[in-house]
Amino acid sequence: MIEKILTDYITFIRSFEALLKDKYEQEINPCSFSQTFFERVGVIDDIEYCFHGSGCTAKKDGVIYEYDIEVNEIKFSQWKFSEFVRTHPEFQKLNYSSDYIEYELYQLIDKGILDWIIVGGIEGTPFGCVFMCYRVVQESFFI
């Protein structure tokens, strides 16, 4: 079921971004041009949005879609994804705990669909810090 939920989440985000790209006749991700072509806070097709830092919070019919984006890669924390589940009328009925959602997202890492976000390198080591945040690495799985 978590794959269906994630599919809905990603599909909405990409559809929302496509609306902005079409309206402002841009090919790049809206996070890249939000300050230049339109207000960072607004409404399009009944979707309230607010671009912030490296991401966006969008709301439609009370459902919260919060995410970060780098170039064209969707990133989110377990909390952001849990907020989507909590505010979605269909998915909130499942009453998933944060721990359960975290476990299910971890299973998608094992499948190669998601990956951890690694931030910066730690001096003297070949790796960075791993945060409890995810990035979509196999988006074609959902489309």
Side-chain angles (χ1 to χ4, degrees):
M1 183 60 154
I2 206 76
E3 290 177 14
K4 179 194 180 328
I5 296 170
L6 188 59
T7 298
D8 283 9
Y9 179 73
I10 291 170
T11 301
F12 175 86
I13 290 168
R14 291 306 189 197
S15 297
F16 163 66
E17 291 176 344
L19 286 171
L20 292 171
K21 287 178 183 180
D22 288 347
K23 181 174 181 176
Y24 296 102
E25 299 176 351
Q26 296 294 312
E27 292 298 318
I28 58 174
N29 189 284
C31 286
S32 303
F33 67 82
S34 64
Q35 289 181 319
T36 308
F37 294 100
F38 62 92
E39 294 295 320
R40 294 179 67 83
V41 177
V43 177
I44 187 169
D45 281 8
D46 297 324
I47 301 168
E48 299 172 41
Y49 63 84
C50 174
F51 284 90
H52 47 79
S54 65
C56 182
T57 300
K59 278 176 136 180
K60 182 167 184 172
D61 300 326
V63 180
I64 299 170
Y65 304 82
E66 188 166 349
Y67 64 99
D68 292 321
I69 199 114
E70 186 175 305
V71 183
N72 203 32
E73 186 176 74
I74 296 171
K75 298 178 178 187
F76 58 93
S77 66
Q78 179 267 333
W79 181 85
K80 290 176 181 180
F81 188 72
S82 292
E83 280 297 285
F84 166 68
V85 174
R86 184 187 66 78
T87 59
H88 193 286
E90 177 185 347
F91 304 140
Q92 66 184 218
K93 294 175 188 173
L94 299 170
N95 205 27
Y96 286 162
S97 70
S98 295
D99 289 341
Y100 180 78
I101 291 172
E102 183 178 323
Y103 173 79
E104 289 297 312
L105 291 173
Y106 183 77
Q107 301 309 306
L108 297 179
I109 290 173
D110 283 347
K111 291 182 177 181
I113 295 166
L114 298 177
D115 201 357
W116 296 117
I117 293 177
I118 299 176
V119 179
I122 297 174
E123 194 171 321
T125 66
F127 54 88
C129 295
V130 177
F131 291 88
M132 295 301 281
C133 294
Y134 307 87
R135 64 188 183 97
V136 179
V137 292
Q138 192 182 54
E139 197 165 324
S140 61
F141 176 83
F142 301 102
I143 299 173

